[in-house]
Amino acid sequence: MKSRFEAKEYEFLEIESRETEDGTILSIFLNNPSSRNSMTWKMGEEFSHLIHSIRKQKKLPRAVIISGRNDVFCAGGDLNLLRSFSEKSFSQNRRDMRKFYGFFLSVRKLPVPVIAAVNGHAIGAGLSLTFGCDLRIFASDGKYSFNFVRLGIHPGMGSSFLAPELLGKSLGGRLLLTGETFNGELAKEWNLALDAVPKSSVYERAMELALSLSKAAPLALQELKQNLYSWKQLDSALKKEAESQARNFISDDFKETIQSIIEKRDPKFKGK
């Protein structure tokens, strides 16, 4: 029998529940097999709906794990979604981007511990989603990058706030400015990841952590989560990101980005 969390069918998400003597461990899997679990508008709506439904439950899960199907965590924004932004006005994009961020970063408002089981590559907004979680287990050989500037756009999905928050301004700024790629071992060395393990063991390690967290007093954890984070600061950063990206989306440089992806070549930016 499906649990109360698994009752609704989703197109781009899969949900699994594990019942323990302490309560439920809920796992959410991003599942967009046609494009390496890239983020679509529909996936965002589904994700936000699910997070909202979890928060409304009288009996909350003891912990939540977010992972990916298809041997990857998330490749970032879907190409068709990005192309649609290049065809909208500045005001439309500013509004839509802020809403899109809110879909996925609603995870930050969950009152229970959230573990990112980053079982493969996580790029751009996909990597930002892991930063929005409380704890992270990375695949040791996974590839991770904030590649926004290499696509001709300002970093988004809260990364301009979350990366410096977790890594400090020097390292966080470096990753945002360069768009460089790092692996799970480096993520662990930087204390971004609690652990870095082979891809096949990421979810299992995350479940071990979730079971350990489920032993803690749930009310104490809920209070702690409220005190750990400032949604007001993140929200301010999201508004600035949405405005910056909205300007970038109507630039010639971003049109060049889309064309270069279609033609499978490096973009040639001209600052227009």
Side-chain angles (χ1 to χ4, degrees), residues 153-166:
I153 53 177
H154 185 283
M157 197 60 75
S159 56
S160 65
F161 172 81
L162 295 169
E165 180 191 52
L166 288 174

Side-chain angles (χ1 to χ4, degrees), residues 13-266:
L13 303 175
E14 288 188 11
I15 306 157
E16 292 182 2
S17 296
R18 176 170 173 175
E19 301 300 329
T20 74
E21 60 181 15
D22 297 299
T24 302
I25 306 296
L26 185 68
S27 298
I28 303 169
F29 297 91
L30 307 181
N31 186 29
N32 187 2
S34 66
S35 59
R36 299 178 296 166
N37 299 342
S38 62
M39 294 170 160
T40 67
W41 192 270
K42 180 68 179 298
M43 179 192 283
E45 289 179 327
E46 291 180 351
F47 192 87
S48 179
H49 178 276
L50 175 57
I51 297 300
H52 182 65
S53 67
I54 295 170
R55 293 177 65 199
K56 289 196 304 181
Q57 296 291 327
K58 290 183 178 179
K59 189 175 182 180
L60 294 167
R62 301 302 291 269
V64 171
I65 297 172
I66 297 178
S67 192
R69 296 296 194 200
N70 319 304
D71 290 324
V72 66
F73 185 79
C74 178
D78 179 77
L79 175 58
N80 290 328
L81 180 66
L82 293 175
R83 183 187 287 126
S84 74
F85 292 144
S86 70
E87 298 167 353
K88 295 179 182 178
S89 68
F90 168 80
S91 58
Q92 286 177 308
N93 279 327
R94 180 173 56 183
R95 181 189 64 243
D96 289 349
M97 289 313 301
R98 179 63 189 86
K99 189 172 184 178
F100 188 65
Y101 301 151
F103 286 153
F104 290 97
L105 291 177
S106 60
V107 70
R108 188 89 163 189
K109 295 183 178 180
L110 275 178
V112 300
V114 181
I115 304 162
V118 194
N119 60 310
H121 304 338
I123 307 298
L127 181 58
S128 302
L129 176 58
T130 75
F131 278 46
C133 299
D134 301 307
L135 299 165
R136 287 154 291 278
I137 307 296
F138 276 60
S140 52
D141 62 348
K143 294 182 179 180
Y144 310 107
S145 172
F146 289 118
N147 67 335
F148 296 101
V149 294
R150 297 192 177 195
L151 297 178
I153 53 177
H154 185 283
M157 197 60 75
S159 56
S160 65
F161 172 81
L162 295 169
E165 180 191 52
L166 288 174
L167 295 168
K169 285 190 176 181
S170 179
L171 180 54
R174 172 183 133 193
L175 296 180
L176 293 170
L177 287 166
T178 65
E180 68 184 83
T181 299
F182 60 94
N183 60 25
E185 293 295 339
L186 274 175
K188 183 179 179 182
E189 181 180 322
W190 294 334
N191 293 319
L192 174 61
L194 182 67
D195 205 352
V197 298
K199 180 186 294 188
S200 60
S201 301
V202 168
Y203 180 73
E204 179 183 358
R205 178 69 182 89
M207 181 59 73
E208 289 175 1
L209 180 57
L211 291 171
S212 175
L213 289 168
S214 71
K215 302 293 183 182
L219 292 179
L221 285 178
Q222 290 172 36
E223 292 288 341
L224 175 58
K225 282 210 60 172
Q226 288 181 359
N227 293 329
L228 275 176
Y229 305 120
S230 169
W231 179 259
K232 186 177 181 180
Q233 287 181 298
L234 176 57
D235 189 56
S236 177
L238 294 177
K239 290 176 182 177
K240 292 177 182 178
E241 287 184 352
E243 185 163 330
S244 294
Q245 284 198 337
R247 278 193 291 269
N248 298 149
F249 283 138
I250 59 176
S251 70
D252 288 346
D253 277 350
F254 188 67
K255 291 181 175 64
E256 166 63 9
T257 291
I258 297 299
Q259 195 61 33
S260 68
I261 292 173
I262 294 171
E263 296 176 3
K264 297 181 179 180
R265 59 172 174 80
D266 292 334

